[in-house]
Amino acid sequence: MSDLPLIQVRELKKYFYPKKGQVLKAVDNVSFDIPRGTTLGLVGESGCGKTTVGRTILRLYERDSGSVLFDGIDVHGVSRREYKALTRRMQMIFQDPYASLDPRFTVGDIVAEGIDNHGLCATRAERTEKIYRLLEMVGLNREHASRFPHEFSGGQRQRVGIARALAVDPEFIVCDEAISALDVSIQAQVINLLMELQGELGLTYLFIAHDLSMVRHISDRTAVMYLGQVVEHAETDELFTNPLHPYTKGLLAAVPRADPRWERSRERRLMTGEVPSPINPQPGCRFCARCPLATDECRHEDPELREAAPGHFVACRHV
Amino acid sequence: MNERLLTVEDLRVSFDTYAGEVQAVRGVSFHLDRGETLAIVGESGSGKSVTVQTVMALNPMPPARIKSGSIVYKGRELVGLSDREMDAYRGKEFAMIFQDPMTSLNPTMKVGRQIAEGILMHEDISRQEAQERALNMLRMVGLPNPELNMVRFPHTYSGGMRQRIMIAIALACNPSILIADEPTTALDVTIQAQILELMNGLKAELGTGIILITHDLGVVARMADRIAVMYGGQIVECGSADEIFYDPLHPYTWGLLGSMPSTGVRREGKKLIAIPGTPPDLFAPPPGCAFAARCPHCMKICTQTPPEQSVTESGHYASCWLLDKRAPQVEPPEFDIRKEGGRDE
Ligand SMILES: Nc1ncnc2c1ncn2[C@@H]1O[C@H](COP(=O)(O)OP(=O)(O)OP(=O)(O)O)[C@@H](O)[C@H]1O
Ligand SMILES: Nc1ncnc2c1ncn2[C@@H]1O[C@H](COP(=O)(O)OP(=O)(O)OP(=O)(O)O)[C@@H](O)[C@H]1O
Ligand code: SF4
Ligand SMILES: [Mg+2]
Ligand SMILES: [Mg+2]
């Protein structure tokens, strides 16, 4: 096994063109590595491009420019046949548990989709056994296999998506809000499962979530995105104890605590302002409309992502 | 002062499916007063959404079926009303916001018009007046440039803005009850804080009663006056926010609170404490306590007879055999929050 990071993302760009004359820079020049057997947490405002990053890494979207290397293989450069082989090694747990499950199939068939596509089970009995094992792994029971997605609650559907991703024994999983619809006990169960699999099999994760305490728990490094760009990126403990970017600071200060007395007594400083549109973005720092530190320079020139402390990258000129 | 808005009594809702009857809600009772927030938390699949959707009469019947129970709104029984009759309440007296605003907004209609149409459905006023009210609503939910925003389509908004538009629609007819099912799950915490602040403002200004469903216990701590904890189609514990967080009585609540990652520490092999086992099969719910199969304190009687409700003087109640006089004393586990909560006082 080489020391090469399993995932290398370089200057990745993914634009959408909603209308003539409009360009929506969903992912704009994003670079990072994810070493084998580690987890990168990815957080940020709704609509900042997290899902698009995940989907473009897996080539569910074609990139506009930049590159993604998986185990040294150029994901966007390989032939169809080679790509199919890759899809077994990389999986995604989709954010939307309602839209991502085909309502015409039973939950058992949905979970077995990858198994069938890649011919992973020799006999019917082996397939059934595997489905049951996967359902139980994610805290569902075997009776669920014969039921249809619309009969499930949000959290139950999300677990079906997790079982489906695990079914092909992948090496890399993009977990896109994989636990957000689950109660905390099942969240704990899924997080433990993901971390156990990582310990045993060396799985690598891109973990996208709004729940910062879970991100903190599971991630080795954490990246913060704002409007298509990574604005801060550091080792997880460093990021949480020493946030540098004003957006990251606002984010951490806004986390509610499961403690009513503390919540009642806390001083609230709401971050004001709206997230600007990613369509035809203006030059300059994209956070400047909401930033307490913004100066004229910020409004005109893009801040560069620089290394403020060893391994701690931040894109803000005033820190 | 305590004006009762809603009383739900022994509600039972099932789904008739090919595989049999799914007993999704099995005897749920709760109430909501004017100007208070009731949070419903609990196991995924425990019947939270089905419960509130039944109150809103949003479950298609069949497959859903109200087996028994009553839902009384301001003294009027709602169970048994026709869809037509319910229309007078839905949207006007109760409004609902969902986790995913995009699925509930009409993508082909400009935002201002959507709000105005909602108002026109319930009130006999002119289109002009409805438009003006819509504009006011957008202002009230803190959308910048409301005049401009009136004429935009929903997909051109960010998640946080859409959720505010949903709230504007929900509040346009000044409902007495706002039901929010995971309203901020899709938002980052800075936008979440703005939305929660907005909801609290409404409660204070207009006396709206709020039912909030969320898995985020931080949000619950921030918002709830009272909390109901659901498991396996039943409310297993209900009390004030402080009672549930600092003095929980039911082993499921203990497990839930114990599963949270504690703030300020990170992994290094640290496992989270999950509740082992799987939730009960709602086709054939267990005869005794629904939590028995997973409960570390389960006794023989728990698997045979459903526990009765024990109520404290303040009205905090839980259904667990451990609260019976004859049961052995069990100390609840220590939680991080309790220590923190105690310290801050
Ligand atoms: N298929 C698409 N066509 C056009 N625009 C898109 C498409 N997918 C995403 N976008 C836009 O790209 C931007 C980034 O979206 P993305 O879903 O990646 O955000 P996100 O960070 O995952 O947000 P959330 O936290 O809400 O899931 C958004 O402005 C979105 O509207
Ligand atoms: N249309 C349906 N047909 C059959 N069963 C259903 C249907 N809708 C819901 N159920 C079942 O009813 C139970 C309660 O579902 P509900 O959506 O209320 O759960 P919930 O508590 O809101 O969970 P979550 O936190 O995951 O959203 C679940 O076990 C679900 O499988
Ligand atoms: S009734 Fe018995 S099984 Fe149920 S929660 Fe109480 S102790 Fe546990
Ligand atoms: Mg997303
Ligand atoms: Mg639900």
Side-chain angles (χ1 to χ4, degrees):
Chain A
M1 219 195 263
S2 65
D3 289 341
L4 202 67
L6 184 68
I7 301 289
Q8 292 171 282
V9 176
R10 288 293 169 272
E11 294 170 19
L12 192 66
K13 291 186 184 169
K14 173 67 201 169
Y15 295 173
F16 295 105
Y17 302 89
K19 264 195 205 148
K20 208 161 167 251
Q22 288 190 339
V23 34
L24 190 159
K25 301 188 173 180
V27 175
D28 200 15
N29 217 1
V30 164
S31 304
F32 55 76
D33 287 347
I34 315 180
R36 200 182 286 274
T38 70
T39 302
L40 175 68
L42 187 59
V43 302
E45 160 60 10
S46 159
C48 70
K50 304 179 296 295
T51 298
T52 307
V53 166
R55 296 188 75 115
T56 313
I57 289 178
L58 299 189
R59 200 175 159 184
L60 299 173
Y61 286 150
E62 294 296 334
R63 56 152 183 212
D64 283 59
S65 67
S67 68
V68 178
L69 297 185
F70 172 87
D71 200 9
I73 306 165
D74 179 1
V75 177
H76 286 258
V78 295
S79 72
R80 246 175 205 293
R81 220 189 65 240
E82 288 166 304
Y83 177 67
K84 185 175 177 208
L86 269 185
T87 59
R88 183 179 164 194
R89 303 174 66 191
M90 316 185 288
Q91 284 287 317
M92 180 146 180
I93 301 169
F94 292 94
Q95 170 169 17
D96 184 349
Y98 291 88
S100 64
L101 305 179
D102 191 326
R104 295 166 302 165
F105 293 100
T106 64
V107 160
D109 287 335
I110 291 172
V111 170
E113 184 191 319
I115 298 178
D116 299 341
N117 277 347
H118 296 281
L120 301 181
C121 284
T123 65
R124 191 94 203 147
E126 191 189 331
R127 180 179 182 271
T128 309
E129 214 24 67
K130 175 120 192 179
I131 293 172
Y132 287 166
R133 207 164 46 82
L134 286 160
L135 288 177
E136 278 163 11
M137 251 161 103
V138 296
L140 294 170
N141 47 49
R142 24 180 91 199
E143 289 79 37
H144 287 131
S146 57
R147 290 169 64 185
F148 289 89
H150 74 266
E151 297 173 12
F152 282 62
S153 77
Q156 289 168 330
R157 287 181 224 204
Q158 206 163 33
R159 281 179 274 171
V160 174
I162 296 169
R164 171 174 63 182
L166 294 175
V168 295
D169 305 320
E171 291 162 59
F172 172 62
I173 306 179
V174 175
C175 309
D176 190 4
E177 295 285 355
I179 56 166
S180 62
L182 304 175
D183 66 78
V184 278
S185 165
I186 297 168
Q187 284 187 3
Q189 200 178 330
V190 171
I191 292 287
N192 285 344
L193 174 69
L194 291 175
M195 287 172 77
E196 257 165 52
L197 291 171
Q198 184 164 64
E200 283 164 27
L201 309 168
L203 292 196
T204 307
Y205 303 120
L206 177 64
F207 189 83
I208 301 172
H210 285 299
D211 182 337
L212 297 173
S213 55
M214 280 299 177
V215 169
R216 181 167 197 183
H217 185 80
I218 196 175
S219 310
D220 298 278
R221 293 182 65 84
T222 299
V224 182
M225 276 185 82
Y226 196 82
L227 272 189
Q229 299 177 328
V230 171
V231 295
E232 187 160 5
H233 182 202
E235 203 258 309
T236 296
D237 266 342
E238 164 74 8
L239 188 99
F240 277 80
T241 49
N242 186 25
L244 295 176
H245 197 280
Y247 175 64
T248 315
K249 286 185 177 166
L251 207 56
L252 295 182
V255 177
R257 254 216 238 164
D259 185 341
R261 285 178 198 144
W262 188 84
E263 278 293 332
R264 278 194 295 267
S265 64
R266 94 190 266 185
E267 191 195 329
R268 248 166 249 295
R269 259 174 293 128
L270 285 187
M271 207 192 276
T272 52
E274 278 299 330
V275 184
S277 156
I279 297 172
N280 300 338
Q282 303 293 307
C285 172
R286 296 190 179 179
F287 186 58
C288 65
R290 297 171 77 195
C291 183
L293 306 178
T295 57
D296 269 351
E297 279 170 305
C298 304
R299 289 183 194 101
H300 295 113
E301 258 175 83
D302 282 11
E304 245 173 77
L305 192 68
R306 60 191 171 81
E307 195 164 5
H312 191 153
F313 298 86
V314 59
C316 170
R317 61 179 65 244
H318 295 302
V319 296
Chain B
M1 181 60 221
N2 278 8
E3 188 190 330
R4 183 73 27 111
L5 293 175
L6 183 74
T7 312
V8 173
E9 205 77 59
D10 196 36
L11 185 68
R12 292 171 194 270
V13 184
S14 283
F15 291 92
D16 294 312
T17 70
Y18 289 117
E21 177 193 344
V22 182
Q23 302 180 30
V25 175
R26 306 188 297 133
V28 160
S29 306
F30 65 89
H31 64 84
L32 181 73
D33 288 341
R34 192 178 135 82
E36 86 166 338
T37 300
L38 171 71
I40 307 182
V41 301
E43 180 88 5
S44 158
S46 62
K48 302 180 296 295
S49 298
V50 171
T51 299
V52 295
Q53 281 163 10
T54 306
V55 172
M56 291 283 292
L58 288 176
N59 284 319
M61 308 199 190
R65 168 161 61 92
I66 298 182
K67 289 173 68 181
S68 69
S70 90
I71 301 170
V72 173
Y73 171 71
K74 290 191 176 165
R76 172 110 201 255
E77 175 63 58
L78 299 185
V79 172
L81 290 191
S82 70
D83 224 25
R84 281 283 295 279
E85 289 169 305
M86 269 312 288
D87 274 343
Y89 292 90
R90 242 187 329 237
K92 169 130 186 62
E93 304 285 335
F94 331 129
M96 183 144 176
I97 46 183
F98 299 90
Q99 169 172 355
D100 180 7
M102 215 38 203
T103 52
S104 5
L105 287 169
N106 180 345
T108 61
M109 201 192 277
K110 285 174 184 152
V111 160
R113 175 122 181 262
Q114 278 190 54
I115 304 175
E117 295 283 327
I119 300 171
L120 285 170
M121 246 165 65
H122 296 291
E123 283 176 45
D124 191 19
I125 55 175
S126 73
R127 187 159 285 278
Q128 177 68 27
E129 282 169 303
Q131 287 281 351
E132 256 156 47
R133 177 102 67 89
L135 191 63
N136 259 332
M137 291 316 297
L138 288 181
R139 212 168 270 137
M140 186 164 150
V141 296
L143 220 59
N145 275 328
E147 287 86 359
L148 263 174
N149 277 316
M150 287 278 280
V151 293
R152 285 171 63 184
F153 289 100
H155 68 266
T156 60
Y157 290 101
S158 76
M161 290 168 97
R162 276 183 217 146
Q163 197 56 284
R164 272 184 235 193
I165 293 162
M166 273 299 298
I167 295 180
I169 293 176
L171 298 172
C173 290
N174 197 1
S176 338
I177 299 180
L178 177 66
I179 300 177
D181 194 351
E182 300 277 359
T184 57
T185 311
L187 308 174
D188 92 3
V189 288
T190 67
I191 306 293
Q192 168 174 287
Q194 293 178 10
I195 300 276
L196 298 181
E197 199 67 10
L198 175 70
M199 285 171 57
N200 274 344
L202 293 166
K203 179 172 106 170
E205 276 167 44
L206 307 174
T208 317
I210 300 175
I211 300 179
L212 172 68
I213 300 178
T214 175
H215 290 303
D216 187 329
L217 296 175
V219 171
V220 173
R222 158 119 182 61
M223 299 290 286
D225 298 303
R226 284 187 305 121
I227 301 172
V229 183
M230 282 192 77
Y231 187 85
Q234 298 169 325
I235 292 178
V236 295
E237 177 164 6
C238 186
S240 72
D242 283 17
E243 284 164 342
I244 300 292
F245 276 98
Y246 306 125
D247 190 20
L249 296 174
H250 197 281
Y252 173 67
T253 314
W254 298 344
L256 198 64
L257 295 174
S259 304
M260 283 184 297
S262 33
T263 37
V265 284
R266 203 174 73 88
R267 65 170 198 174
E268 253 42 279
K270 243 191 105 138
K271 273 187 94 160
L272 297 171
I273 306 156
I275 304 170
T278 54
D281 179 3
L282 296 176
F283 284 110
C289 168
F291 190 54
R294 304 170 71 185
C295 179
H297 310 290
C298 178
M299 301 164 284
K300 190 153 171 247
I301 189 167
C302 304
T303 60
Q304 297 165 343
T305 315
E308 265 163 44
Q309 220 171 59
S310 308
V311 189
T312 69
E313 263 165 48
S314 62
H316 178 191
Y317 65 84
S319 305
C320 169
W321 280 116
L322 287 179
L323 300 170
D324 191 277
K325 294 189 290 296
R326 292 157 291 179
Q329 277 289 319
V330 172
E331 277 301 308
E334 275 287 320
F335 307 113
D336 283 357
I337 9 164
R338 296 176 137 203
K339 290 183 224 132
E340 287 169 14
R343 196 181 53 224
D344 277 3
E345 232 187 357

